[in-house]
Amino acid sequence: MEHSENVSGMYEAVSMPRTGKDSIFIPGRKSSSRSSSVVQPQDDKDEAGIRIQKKRSFNREKELASGKAVRKTKSLSSQFLVNIDELFNNVAGSFDEKGSIPSRASSNGLGFSTPLAGSVLPLDDISDASRLQIPRQKDSATRQSWSAHEKDQDSCGWRKTHSKPTLPIYLKFEDVKYKVVTKGGKSSDEKHILHGITGSVDPGEVLALMGPSGGGKTTLLNLLSGKVKTNSGRITYNDQPYAKTLKHRIGFVLQDDIVFPHLTVKETLTYAALLRLPNTLTRQQKKERVMDIISELDLERCQNTIIGGALVRGISGGERKRVCIGNEILLNPSLLFLDEPTSGLDSTTALRILQMLQNTAEAGKTVVTTIHQPSSRLFSMFDKLVLLGKGNSLYFGKASEAMLYFSSIGCSPLEAMNPAEFLIDLANGNISNKSVPSELEDKYSPGRQNFENEEGKPSPGEVHEYLVGAYEERVANLEKMKLLSPVRIDSVSEMQRRENSREWGANWWQQFSILFRRGLKERRHEYLSGLRITQVISTAVILGLLWWHSDASSPKKLQDQAGLLFFISVFWGFLPLFTAIFTFPQERAMLVKERSVDMYRLSAYFVARNTSDLPLDLILPILFMLIVYFMAGLKPSFAAFSLTMLTVFLSILASQGLGMTIGAALMDVKKATTLASITLMTFMLSGGFFIQEFPSFISWARHISFNYHTYRLLLKIQYSCSNSNYEEGPCNSPFIRGLKLNRSGMELGAMVAMCIGYRLLAYIFLRRMKLRTLT
């Protein structure tokens, strides 16, 4: 321990019950946002207790219950709060008997653990500490001033984004089990993912779900958030089971960032705010909330930069993760779940994310996050920890006491290491460079029946069984007893009852308008990309060159020109169809994510998705027809050109509807592409150009082919005899007379029916899609 010059001048105190053990535990140094806990000894029935301030506490404004001051001392490896008066009054006899204080086996402040679990603190150092007495007349104003100053530094204006009261939610889960049925051949097996997990987390706390890959962290997170239904066990929110009304109280940040790559940071958050924030707020208030979030998440520098993706360069990974978190904290949720928010980020960016989560918890929220293998700095920032291994709970409790617990069951590091690395090694059954519990050492010593390797160490499976058994014996039953105590919360106010009901952030028309604008901004890059424009223009120029100034003066030339019209019907059936196939499979993750939180109605999304494509669908076909129509020398009249454009536009709408239907029905790109290829080939062959007389049993195929109806309408427009006064015109050729083009009304009605019918089918398939399947 260092002398008084290393002592900081912070004065903080709240009451904390003692453990009742005749020992003093000096924990490792924590980060500046919280203070460590001290276990104060007691003599017989003495009711005097030590007082400690825990900054991360939800009730951080609790007043000092006693006039005794607390002094916070700090050394290179630890910092702790000691009430000097009570320390010497209560443990004078203990020091005479033992003369030492056991130190903690870990030092979270330095980020490593040491095997020196039995190291002692000499009495000389205690004598030095006695000179650090703080005058009792130090008023509370100094403490409050310091606390306010430090809170301002930590939160950086966080309070302005949380002006709305937060309903505190106490999350409890007891004996949670989950299994899935795997089908292999004719038989099906059950695979158990979780085996009776128990724990709890209160408002103002950050709970970390830690463990190796495949340990069940994400599954447990999905169960706690209500995205997946549990097979067995009990999960409660303020002692109540999950209900759909909790959707607006829960925020969930997925491991994979699901965002639109071509929208900017500000646009992404603005659209989310306009759709999700209560309808009682004005549009300007919602935009102000967005700017508050951008400021708090330190995204001002990149607010006008597109988010980007795998093929589009945009913001960094840490900034993208903060955007996803901002999407969820817009609504000021009471419960915030995050699935590995630090994956793929450097240590500094990960630390910034965790500090932001600390600030979120300090605002009265309950934060639960999975994390794979955090650094020592990140590990020291968690309040509670659930350590999972093969679906079993190996530890639940305070994160700062995890090392002490495993030391108590005989598992301690033999060299300096990150506490998180130590815990992950134990969860994997790896006890290299760690002390072996005496029970296992005796059981698996050389010469024993269970000895399995030359090193005389148990296998990972046996280590796992030992850890599970130790937890069940020492901790599990105690934690289950704690869960029996009821949650004490105030009566729900009228505002909270109103917010618990299902309310949309915008009415149907507003949802449609917002989604329409968002769709235009996002898909304009796809529709008007350089490759797509080059494809269309190149095809148009080639067609114009091949059919340069063609005419229908002879039957042969007439058939050549009819071939051009058939290709136009095929091209503008093929291109939109294979573009539309990817619509819902690619947007499925985003659709499920937004619909799961009631962000908008499905009907508003579907109509906006279709109508936002219409302006983009018109640009390239008009450009295409302007090139082909006049280069090929088709009928030179404005009416004919306009009707040709209308026919091509109907073909685009029909083929798009078919592509959406196939994509929505299968939701798999490979399967949808295969089915679309077969369907389009059938429509093309039955389009009326390759074959005129169909067998009676398959003649129905041409009536459902949009190529067939488009081709006939184009022929009708080009070779109509309504204004012709000569007998030798194209309309009187045997080829045109054989097609019987006098029934154009039927073709037009069929095309309109396809445009509407295919979209209705697509909407029905989307309604049947399960929204809770995204994990």
Side-chain angles (χ1 to χ4, degrees), residues 602-622:
L602 182 61
S603 58
Y605 163 80
F606 188 80
V607 175
R609 184 64 177 83
N610 282 272
T611 54
S612 63
D613 290 339
L614 296 182
L616 300 173
D617 290 335
L618 282 174
I619 297 175
L620 291 181
I622 292 175

Side-chain angles (χ1 to χ4, degrees), residues 541-578:
V541 171
I542 293 173
L543 290 177
L545 294 176
L546 291 176
W547 274 272
W548 179 259
H549 289 177
S550 63
D551 57 52
S553 57
S554 64
K556 186 176 181 180
K557 292 181 179 181
L558 177 61
Q559 289 188 352
D560 290 342
Q561 201 173 71
L564 171 63
L565 299 178
F566 181 75
F567 179 85
I568 292 174
S569 69
V570 172
F571 181 78
W572 288 110
F574 169 87
L575 194 62
L577 186 144
F578 279 93

Side-chain angles (χ1 to χ4, degrees), residues 148 151-152 155-164 296 363:
K151 184 176 180 180
D152 288 341
S155 62
C156 301
W158 182 262
R159 286 167 293 181
K160 65 183 178 181
T161 64
H162 294 283
S163 57
K164 187 178 69 172
E296 168 55 31

Side-chain angles (χ1 to χ4, degrees), residues 479-521:
E479 293 299 332
K480 290 181 180 179
M481 292 296 295
K482 292 180 180 179
L483 296 181
L484 297 179
S485 58
V487 173
R488 297 179 180 178
I489 58 175
D490 297 333
S491 58
V492 182
S493 65
E494 188 67 27
M495 177 198 67
Q496 293 166 347
R497 286 197 297 266
R498 184 174 64 252
E499 287 187 355
N500 277 338
S501 62
R502 180 175 179 177
E503 291 184 1
W504 300 102
N507 57 41
W508 192 95
W509 178 254
Q510 291 172 336
Q511 291 175 3
F512 165 77
S513 177
I514 296 168
L515 293 173
F516 178 84
R517 292 196 304 271
R518 189 180 75 172
L520 279 179
K521 288 188 176 182

